[in-house]
Amino acid sequence: MNPLTSLARRGLFLFDPEAAHGLSIKALKTGLVPNCPAKADKRLSQTVAGIVFPNPIGMAAGYDKNAEVPEALLKIGFGFTEIGTVTPKPQAGNDKPRIFRLVEDEAVINRLGFNNEGHGAALARLKACSRDALIGVNIGANKDSADRIADYVGGIHTFYSVARYFTANISSPNTPGLRDLQARESLAALLSAVLSARDEEALRSNRRVPVFLKIAPDLTEEGMDDIAAEVLAHDLDGLIVSNTTLSRDGLKDQAQAKESGGLSGKPLFDKSTAVLARMRKRVGPKLPIIGVGGVSSAESAAEKIRAGADLVQLYSCMVYEGPALPGRIVRGLSDLCDRERLTSIRDIRDSRLDYWAGKNV
């Protein structure tokens, strides 16, 4: 980390984590964060679910909940970005404080609870973005919704004209009962409804928008079996593995570890990567998977790909590494291609699949 970034981090860490997050959004909006586009490298370009990604590194959902800065994020090195999670109605989320830094662990615990301004506000901002900007839309359900599946279907219909892809987020631990949608019968109903809505819009617009499903890392082997079976039984375009974890294993900061919510950052890396590999084993080589959880360097991004990922997302580690992280990772992946004489970064995919699938976490 360069001295300027280190100084900026120390400054932001003087603020409450949620206030610091707001300041970082404002900095991106006002152009205080310098553009740092990643150098184009055709070896990093990937075609996944019919979309050409200029590089495999994306901003995960959770940072830009209300679609305030998607194009600014693409200018600092990300190949794609995902806004949300957005719910049909605005909602305040859980009581504050609800974000906690675990500095010794380079981790974050949050229990935000899908705080967002609702579909209308995000849609208005996305309509103002370039159609070429590679922006995914992460959709969820309101906490008080009487029909959560209808909320996901509403997300498909609302954002179809502006989304390059959708993610159905059923794995946040901070909305009571949401993870129950990962149970087989519920998941089957959700996927049928969401994909029917997608197919209806595709027929109307003559444009098919891919749909991904984001799952938790806290799944049993039987739970992973059930999800894989339903994914393969439906016309889903891919998985995102994984969301935050409820585990607190191995944390140094035992005081903050007592806070409820989902843990992200470096301690999530092993667990999320092992679940990624186990899901790759279950769904086979063709289904796209986006790996997310604990990515803090080019090497950790590459390891996600070796474990079976086609693309990689990050968020929490940027809290510690600063906004230069995506560009640094992309340059590091180009260097890796040079060192290993790869014609495509995809050449390393699955090369450590057995190691990660067998890892005891």
Side-chain angles (χ1 to χ4, degrees), residues 43 333 336-348:
R43 299 170 301 181
L333 292 178
L336 184 148
C337 289
D338 290 340
R339 285 196 307 275
E340 301 192 12
R341 299 183 180 180
L342 305 176
T343 57
S344 168
I345 193 66
R346 185 180 170 82
D347 293 347
I348 66 171

Side-chain angles (χ1 to χ4, degrees), residues 258-273:
K258 293 183 176 62
E259 297 292 346
S260 63
L263 173 77
S264 57
K266 282 188 176 179
L268 179 57
F269 182 80
D270 281 7
K271 189 179 187 73
S272 61
T273 307

Side-chain angles (χ1 to χ4, degrees), residues 204-350:
R204 188 168 18 234
S205 64
N206 198 31
R207 184 176 75 99
R208 186 183 188 278
V209 177
V211 177
F212 289 79
L213 180 74
K214 188 168 187 176
I215 64 173
D218 306 313
L219 293 163
T220 63
E221 295 295 324
E222 293 75 16
M224 284 186 265
D225 287 343
D226 286 349
I227 289 174
E230 289 305 323
V231 165
L232 294 173
H234 291 82
D235 191 20
L236 189 74
D237 296 277
L239 286 170
I240 299 184
V241 185
S242 70
N243 213 312
T244 57
T245 180
L246 295 173
S247 171
R248 299 292 187 264
D249 291 347
L251 295 178
K252 299 170 187 169
D253 186 344
Q254 284 299 307
Q256 299 273 45
K258 293 183 176 62
E259 297 292 346
S260 63
L263 173 77
S264 57
K266 282 188 176 179
L268 179 57
F269 182 80
D270 281 7
K271 189 179 187 73
S272 61
T273 307
V275 173
L276 157 65
R278 290 169 190 164
M279 290 307 296
R280 171 59 73 200
K281 287 262 188 182
R282 284 169 166 81
V283 301
K286 293 183 179 177
L287 189 82
I289 297 181
I290 301 175
V292 55
V295 174
S296 61
S297 65
E299 182 51 37
S300 56
E303 198 64 10
K304 290 283 187 189
I305 298 171
R306 294 184 186 108
D310 298 282
L311 301 167
V312 177
Q313 290 179 327
L314 62 89
Y315 168 16
S316 297
C317 290
M318 204 167 81
V319 171
Y320 294 96
E321 298 290 335
L325 180 61
R328 192 160 66 238
I329 290 177
V330 171
R331 289 191 294 277
L333 292 178
S334 289
D335 292 344
L336 184 148
C337 289
D338 290 340
R339 285 196 307 275
E340 301 192 12
R341 299 183 180 180
L342 305 176
T343 57
S344 168
I345 193 66
R346 185 180 170 82
D347 293 347
I348 66 171
R349 210 201 79 176
D350 299 344

Side-chain angles (χ1 to χ4, degrees), residues 23-46:
L23 287 173
S24 72
I25 293 278
K26 286 180 181 174
L28 282 163
K29 275 184 177 177
T30 56
L32 287 177
V33 179
N35 293 344
C36 185
K39 185 179 177 182
D41 184 340
K42 65 181 182 181
R43 299 170 301 181
L44 303 186
S45 178
Q46 303 293 305

Side-chain angles (χ1 to χ4, degrees), residues 66 86-91 115-123 125 159:
N66 294 304
V86 282
T87 57
K89 296 184 298 183
Q91 62 181 25
N115 57 310
N116 77 105
E117 297 174 359
H119 282 181
L123 179 63
R125 295 185 182 114
F159 292 102

Side-chain angles (χ1 to χ4, degrees), residues 52-64:
V52 178
F53 292 79
N55 71 60
I57 304 302
M59 170 59 93
Y63 178 77
D64 189 12

Side-chain angles (χ1 to χ4, degrees), residues 150-204:
D151 283 8
Y152 289 90
V153 169
I156 297 288
H157 288 307
T158 300
F159 292 102
Y160 202 84
S161 65
V162 294
R164 296 292 299 277
Y165 70 88
F166 285 102
T167 299
N169 182 3
I170 58 170
S171 50
S172 168
N174 299 317
T175 298
L178 191 76
R179 285 187 170 186
D180 294 345
L181 287 170
Q182 294 178 132
R184 185 160 185 175
E185 188 175 339
S186 299
L187 180 59
L190 174 83
L191 291 179
S192 293
V194 166
L195 296 173
S196 291
R198 187 273 306 278
D199 293 346
E200 182 184 324
E201 291 288 348
L203 190 62
R204 188 168 18 234

